[in-house]
Amino acid sequence: MREITYAQAIQEAMSEEMRRDQNIMFMGEDIGVYGGAFGVSRGMFEEFGDKRVRDTPITELAITGCAAGAAMTGLRPIVEIMFSDFMTLAMEQLVNQAAKNRFQFGGQAAVPMVLRTPGGSGTGAAEQHSQSLEAWVCHVPGLKVVIPSTPYDAKGLLKAAIRDNNPVVFIEQKLLYRTKGEVPEPGDDYIIELGKADIKREGSDLTIITYGRMVPRALEVAEAFSQKGTSIEVIDIRTLVPLDTEALISSAKKTGRVLIVHEACQRGGYGGEIAGLIADSEAFFYLDAPIKRLGGLDVPIPYNPNLEAQVVPTVESITKAVNELL
Amino acid sequence: MDKQTILNVHETMLVIRKFEERALNLFETNKLRGSVHLSIGQEAVAATVGAYLRDEDYITSTHRGHGHAIAKGARADRAMAELMGKVTGYCGGRGGSMHIADVDKGNLGANAIVGGGIPHAAGAALSAKMRGTDQVAVTFFGDGASNEGIFHETLNMASIWKLPVIFICENNLYGMTTNVERVTSVKDIAVRGAAYDIPGVVVDGNDVFSVEKAFKKALKRAKAGDGPTLIEAKTYRWKGHWTGDPEMYRSRDEVSSWKEKCPILRLEAHMIENQLLTEEQIRTKHQEIDQLIDEAERFALESPEPDPSTVLDNVFDEGDQ
Ligand SMILES: Cc1ncc(C[n+]2csc(CCOP(=O)(O)OP(=O)(O)O)c2C)c(N)n1
Ligand SMILES: [Mg+2]
């Protein structure tokens, strides 16, 4: 199979969907000729023109609200928010409006929109361009939340998100944009259903539950442990909402040891939700050790590269956490 | 305005007035709960705008939105049922007074976030433009909302894209308890249009003909592809901000001076003067609407409560493409 980057996979998903359905449009800041801050949409402006690939003013709140209004009236907008940190400026429209419009109207409207945005640290962009804010949106009923870790998943999940009739927050991982992976040929219209976790590596002694950029790290740790005879299962949840609870519970029952890893700050992070879910389930009776969370330190992302690397889970800190559980 | 339109606007104003008077009465007798914001005194704006919109045109509305919904075609009975949280209400009892939406009639919802509906109208206008229809979108909002960032962001966006959207600011002199002058940098909110190269017009919001004139022009402009208009309708709400407001921030005199400018009495005087209806016919019309509201109340009171087993319905749309 051919290999393409995570960024190309996202671009292909958008372009293929836009060729399929005229009502899909894409808008955001500097997404046109420039192709977006991370070059994800390069080439789309040339193919689809300035109406369907629409550069917007720097106005995250109005972009999001405009998308919600367009979504309720026949379009299927994809919005790019340049950095996920800027979702904070769009929150009113995302949280109070898009997420609730269908419910509060008693089902009279659907809001089929996708808000794509890159999250995560590791680029030296410091406190206001590096956050992982997924827990904020996971907390809001009415929003679906997706964070892919491979080009294959990114393409299949984004297509599913675009076809979904609900607002979907699709958080991309800056540090994965240039990573490559196998993806079927463009004509092969595959979809990855939202709400399905993926076992990225099977194992029997311990489960690491993770997503996004921490998936490759968890896999690296699992590989190292396999050399020493410990078999680690790595589950990539892929969609945080809806969550594949079944897959998590059955893996926890199988291995009896669970480590949850994410880059976002540990306090109030989504790992707490996953831990609670497992503790509340029948898997509790199969556990041989407490459920362990390993999130980012509860600190803003610092600028200095050494400090920056230190505040999110690393291969070393994941390894240490695994050892504590064994 | 032709005769039929005048009659329609008059009837709509009466429905709004009597619907809200009844809502207040029901609230005071504990048959209705929650937050109910009345637009009594402001009916001319909604009724006139509604008269010139088709079902396929869009509106977005506010916490003070009963009038906008009725003017856009909502039935009094289903609106009253929504106020009572009943299953027959427009939102199946999920939204209440501040969230009445009637999507089939183009009402994309009242909104309990000040300014929250403004960008939805721009989005609906963008959608119309992209789909190549001649639909227009109107967004109603208050003087208070014009100090929210979203108002400014949306005006700019609508202007650069020449969207068929009409911004209607109902300046009723107060945002909750605060007089507009104390918190607003300009005397006329309409001048804010200039910052975005959008024509801004001040109209007498208690005079249907004044609203009509500006609105028709705005409609023409929107449909010609020339972009948005900002209309500021100066008006006044007779009742408190919400049912239960002690109204310590304004004088009785101020309220009564505005009651003298009642938009309904004003139109009725015009109708009599121009022999569109006799006093007798107007009285009959009032009785008809009283009956309609009686029926709406009965319908709402007799309607069932939502089934508790449906509480999770519509958090998500289960379908996809
Ligand atoms: C974002 C937001 N801030 C504050 C409120 C509380 N609030 C509800 S209505 C209102 C006054 C709004 O004034 P205006 O826009 O002039 O509308 P009016 O009530 O006069 O119709 C306020 C402050 C709110 N609902 N939403
Ligand atoms: Mg006001």
Side-chain angles (χ1 to χ4, degrees), chain A residues 18 24-28 31-33 35 41 43-56, chain B residues 130:
Chain A
M18 285 178 71
I24 300 171
M25 67 166 302
F26 175 40
M27 58 181 165
I31 60 159
V33 178
S41 55
M44 290 179 66
F45 183 83
E46 288 74 10
E47 178 176 354
F48 298 103
D50 64 354
K51 304 278 184 294
R52 292 184 69 199
V53 174
R54 196 174 273 261
D55 281 314
T56 63
Chain B
M130 300 268 305

Side-chain angles (χ1 to χ4, degrees), chain A residues 1 69 106 146 152 201 211 226 268 271-272 306 311:
Chain A
M1 218 187 282
V146 180
Y152 179 87
R201 180 186 178 114
Y211 55 87
S226 79
N306 299 325
V311 301

Side-chain angles (χ1 to χ4, degrees), chain B residues 2-132:
Chain B
D2 62 47
K3 179 178 172 185
Q4 191 52 49
T5 310
I6 292 177
L7 296 177
N8 292 347
V9 170
H10 176 242
E11 175 168 326
T12 305
M13 287 204 290
L14 287 183
V15 177
I16 298 170
R17 172 76 53 100
K18 291 174 186 292
F19 177 90
E20 292 203 319
E21 284 172 346
R22 188 65 57 92
L24 178 60
N25 177 267
L26 289 165
F27 183 86
E28 285 169 351
T29 53
N30 291 323
K31 288 181 180 134
L32 210 154
R33 60 194 272 276
S35 228
V36 180
H37 304 83
L38 304 175
S39 66
I40 292 175
Q42 307 183 191
E43 298 91 343
V45 186
T48 309
V49 168
Y52 290 97
L53 293 176
R54 305 156 301 176
D55 285 355
E56 61 266 35
D57 295 321
Y58 300 109
I59 64 160
T60 69
S61 162
T62 72
H63 57 284
R64 203 175 301 289
H66 308 142
H68 308 140
I70 289 167
K72 196 65 177 63
R75 298 166 53 97
D77 53 1
R78 292 195 61 204
M80 194 63 87
E82 189 57 39
L83 264 57
M84 292 191 195
K86 298 296 183 74
V87 74
T88 52
Y90 274 101
C91 308
R94 268 60 170 189
S97 164
M98 293 198 288
H99 297 294
I100 294 179
D102 180 10
V103 175
D104 287 343
K105 295 274 188 200
N107 179 357
L108 301 177
N111 212 304
I113 302 293
V114 170
I118 299 176
H120 296 168
L126 174 64
S127 164
K129 196 171 166 128
M130 300 268 305
R131 288 182 286 105

Side-chain angles (χ1 to χ4, degrees), chain B residues 142-144 170-176 237:
Chain B
D143 45 283
E170 291 179 82
N171 182 351
N172 58 10
L173 306 193
Y174 292 90
M176 245 169 98
R237 64 166 157 74

Side-chain angles (χ1 to χ4, degrees), chain A residues 267-278:
Chain A
R267 184 178 59 232
Y270 202 57
E273 175 60 26
I274 295 172
L277 177 101
I278 293 169

Side-chain angles (χ1 to χ4, degrees), chain A residues 20-21 54 59 61-62 65-66 69-70 73 76 92-93 97 102-108 110 142 163 165-166, chain B residues 58 90-91 99 101-103 108 111 113 116 119-120 123 126-127 131 150 153 161 311 313-314 316-317 319-321:
Chain A
R20 182 183 61 77
D21 181 352
R54 196 174 273 261
T59 136
L61 186 60
C66 181
T73 55
R76 303 181 79 85
E92 196 288 292
Q93 285 295 324
Q97 312 291 341
R102 178 178 179 77
F103 182 84
Q104 74 188 4
F105 296 175
Q108 288 182 78
R163 294 183 194 190
N165 282 349
N166 300 285
Chain B
Y58 300 109
Y90 274 101
C91 308
H99 297 294
D102 180 10
V103 175
L108 301 177
N111 212 304
I113 302 293
H120 296 168
L126 174 64
S127 164
R131 288 182 286 105
I150 192 63
E153 292 192 23
W161 292 343
V311 71
D313 285 3
N314 292 314
F316 290 111
D317 181 338
D320 56 18
Q321 269 199 324

